Amino acid sequence: MCLGIPARIVSIVDADAGLALAETAGVRRQINIALLAADGRAPSALVGKWVLLHVGFAMALIDQQEADRTLALLSQIEQREWDES
Amino acid sequence: MSLNTDFRDADRVRALLAAMTPVAGRVAARLGRPLQIMEVCGGHTHAIFRFGLHQLIPDTIEFIHGPGCPVCVLPVAAVDQAVALARQPNVILASFGDPLRVPGSRGSLLQAKAEGAGVRVLYSPYDALTLAKAHPRKQVVFFAIGFDTTMPGTAHSILAADRAGIGNLRFLCHHIRLIPTLTALLEADEVKLDGFVGPGHVSMVIGSRVYAPIARQYHKPLVIAGFEPVDFLQALYQLVLQLDQGRCDIENAYARVVADTGNPAALQAMEQAFESGVDGHWRGLGRVPGSGVRIRAPYRHLDATGLLAVAGPGKAADDPAWCHGVLTGRIKPDQCPLFRRRCTPEHPVGALMVSSEGACAAYYQYRPEQDHPEEARRD
């Protein structure tokens, strides 16, 4: 129940109600984006973005730059292990 | 986006394990015992076993499975309330799938459904609005449970139902706040632990800043983790490094999803719909001060507790005492005498066996070696 699912927002269904269409693993379903859009963001700006979906609500944007930063940090660890082995 | 494969990459897993093992060994040698790490969230318990991380992580690290599965701590009295409402004529009781299987004193919601009660599974609390509109002659009750991750969805649905003037929808809320639950555990001094792997999805709502007292006041390091194997091991590595260096900080190893400030719109919706700081009584944990919530006065017409006078009070809770031991890390699930004997996922006695995120269900599903205890070498 508590699991979050990454999903990509495909289109806006009803901007006033905060409803959008999102795709995850090839499956499209209607989700609620009100809790992201309320943050001073135009709903249309969310189209194409990856979000973390929980109980039907987009609860956080997935930040690709932060993901890349984490992976870069990890590659330093990998390199160190390689150097030491 | 290749995030899932990037964060499941075997080479990265190997590198993290190779980096972590000597450091954990050094700290354990200094302490004269394995490191005791609590993974707060049931999603992490599930990930540890699902990805077989328990077989890879060095023996110098021992996990204490925390109370962070809302299904597992759902009290008998709450289930009884929901069952009583579901059995009323003209009521549709809707909830997520997991709570339907939790045993109450007079059976679960699924059993009530089998006996003819109106029970429906919904994916989202927001779907309850559609359900209520589709059944104008019925009273729809959404049984809402969950930690701070799930609360904004319920809060938004309450506010939206109020705006839409939907007259036949109520919410039976048994939500829990995480920080008071953690604080109560630390105050009670029931668990002996060295640090926390922090819950990723609760944190995307509440942010990383709010954990500051865990480090400052209780002197426990906490690192927020995502749910892929690399995410979890990265957080564990950062935690082990902190312990080695004698540091005690709040760190965020899931920055692609969790911001320092969380999700402000979600927090605002929760604040508007709910009053926090209400004492909660949870299965296996007992009374946890300030951990519960109630629907605020302007939205009381949407609060299902008003319907409960008709339903009558629930029977006193009769949780197996062993659940408390597991939730506070005193025993492992397989040390409970009911485990695999009287208590199985098909016939759960305690709620820790109900949810797939519960420690007992994870042990049951992913540790077949426990069928042959003589072969079990870990833990």
Side-chain angles (χ1 to χ4, degrees):
Chain A
M1 193 193 84
C2 292
L3 299 179
I5 306 158
R8 197 170 61 86
I9 296 179
V10 175
S11 62
I12 303 300
V13 174
D14 180 342
D16 293 335
L19 300 177
L21 200 63
E23 185 175 286
T24 183
V27 178
R28 289 186 175 197
R29 60 161 294 141
Q30 190 167 294
I31 66 160
N32 195 309
I33 55 164
L35 296 173
L36 281 187
D39 216 7
R41 215 179 264 122
S44 58
L46 290 168
V47 174
K49 301 270 195 228
W50 281 86
V51 295
L52 211 294
L53 195 60
H54 179 72
V55 295
F57 284 80
M59 212 62 88
L61 279 171
I62 302 179
D63 188 329
Q64 181 70 54
Q65 280 183 334
E66 284 292 351
D68 293 342
R69 211 168 297 162
T70 305
L71 292 170
L73 200 74
L74 281 166
S75 63
Q76 287 172 14
I77 296 169
E78 283 174 76
Q79 190 57 47
R80 205 163 55 225
E81 289 307 312
W82 189 253
D83 293 345
E84 286 169 9
S85 61
Chain B
M1 183 181 269
S2 58
L3 283 181
N4 280 354
T5 46
D6 280 340
F7 288 93
R8 284 183 187 180
D9 179 72
D11 285 339
R12 293 192 172 101
V13 165
R14 269 193 289 274
L16 278 165
L17 286 165
M20 180 190 314
T21 303
V23 186
R26 198 155 62 220
V27 183
R30 210 159 59 214
L31 293 171
R33 58 165 175 78
L35 305 182
Q36 307 266 329
I37 305 295
M38 176 176 275
E39 89 279 12
V40 174
C41 173
H44 283 144
T45 311
H46 190 70
I48 289 171
F49 291 105
R50 179 174 166 224
F51 295 115
L53 301 181
H54 63 293
Q55 292 168 330
L56 302 173
I57 288 164
D59 289 336
T60 45
I61 298 175
E62 193 181 318
F63 286 106
I64 295 171
H65 311 300
C69 167
V71 182
C72 300
V73 297
L74 189 61
V76 169
V79 179
D80 286 350
Q81 285 179 352
V83 168
L85 286 173
R87 286 202 167 126
Q88 286 189 39
N90 246 13
V91 168
I92 301 175
L93 194 293
S95 193
F96 306 118
D98 276 350
L100 265 52
R101 301 179 56 236
V102 181
S105 66
R106 285 162 293 180
S108 67
L109 280 163
L110 268 190
Q111 285 164 324
K113 181 181 166 73
E115 290 159 16
V119 175
R120 293 281 281 270
V121 180
L122 295 183
Y123 170 63
S124 167
Y126 195 73
D127 294 343
L129 276 69
T130 315
L131 188 65
K133 284 183 201 159
H135 298 275
R137 291 169 197 281
K138 299 265 189 186
Q139 176 69 62
V140 173
V141 176
F142 186 78
F143 183 32
I145 75 159
F147 275 95
D148 312 55
T149 325
T150 318
M151 278 177 73
T154 309
H156 176 83
S157 303
I158 289 172
L159 301 176
D162 178 56
R163 271 196 305 273
I166 299 174
N168 64 326
L169 175 61
R170 303 276 185 284
F171 292 83
L172 181 64
C173 292
H174 283 276
H175 283 296
I176 320 169
R177 304 297 314 258
L178 178 78
I179 297 287
T181 307
L182 274 189
T183 312
L185 266 183
L186 289 162
E187 285 285 338
D189 207 21
E190 283 198 282
V191 287
K192 301 278 175 251
L193 45 86
D194 299 303
F196 292 102
V197 173
H201 294 149
V202 165
S203 304
M204 79 181 161
V205 172
I206 64 176
S208 54
R209 281 188 197 160
V210 291
Y211 293 105
I214 306 286
R216 209 175 43 225
Q217 207 171 321
Y218 299 100
H219 309 292
K220 304 287 181 201
L222 181 146
V223 184
I224 295 165
F227 295 86
E228 299 298 339
V230 169
D231 284 321
F232 185 81
L233 292 175
Q234 166 73 26
L236 192 59
Y237 178 51
Q238 286 182 220
L239 197 56
V240 169
L241 280 181
Q242 282 205 44
L243 292 168
D244 186 43
Q245 295 160 4
R247 287 188 298 121
C248 179
D249 296 318
I250 305 302
E251 293 178 342
N252 180 7
Y254 196 32
R256 70 178 183 278
V257 169
V258 175
D260 292 355
T261 48
N263 178 334
L267 291 169
Q268 197 194 336
M270 279 158 72
E271 178 61 26
Q272 194 179 338
F274 292 116
E275 183 185 334
S276 290
V278 177
D279 284 358
H281 292 266
W282 311 115
R283 193 187 289 245
L285 293 173
R287 180 176 161 270
V288 182
S291 62
V293 298
R294 74 166 71 92
I295 295 176
R296 283 196 190 274
Y299 309 104
R300 204 148 285 161
H301 58 287
L302 292 162
D303 189 345
T305 50
L307 303 170
L308 288 169
V310 187
K315 230 176 68 178
D318 53 351
D319 301 327
W322 303 97
C323 297
H324 180 80
V326 174
L327 277 172
T328 51
R330 286 183 183 160
I331 59 165
K332 294 281 187 281
D334 50 358
Q335 290 169 319
C336 167
L338 307 182
F339 182 76
R340 266 188 208 283
R341 295 183 180 92
R342 272 183 54 212
C343 191
T344 65
E346 290 75 31
H347 298 285
V349 177
L352 290 163
M353 191 59 100
V354 171
S355 166
S356 62
E357 289 148 42
C360 296
Y363 265 61
Y364 188 97
Q365 192 177 352
Y366 295 112
R367 296 186 52 137
E369 70 266 31
Q370 296 301 310
D371 281 337
H372 308 283
E374 70 279 4
E375 289 173 20
R377 289 286 177 267
R378 303 188 65 86
D379 275 1

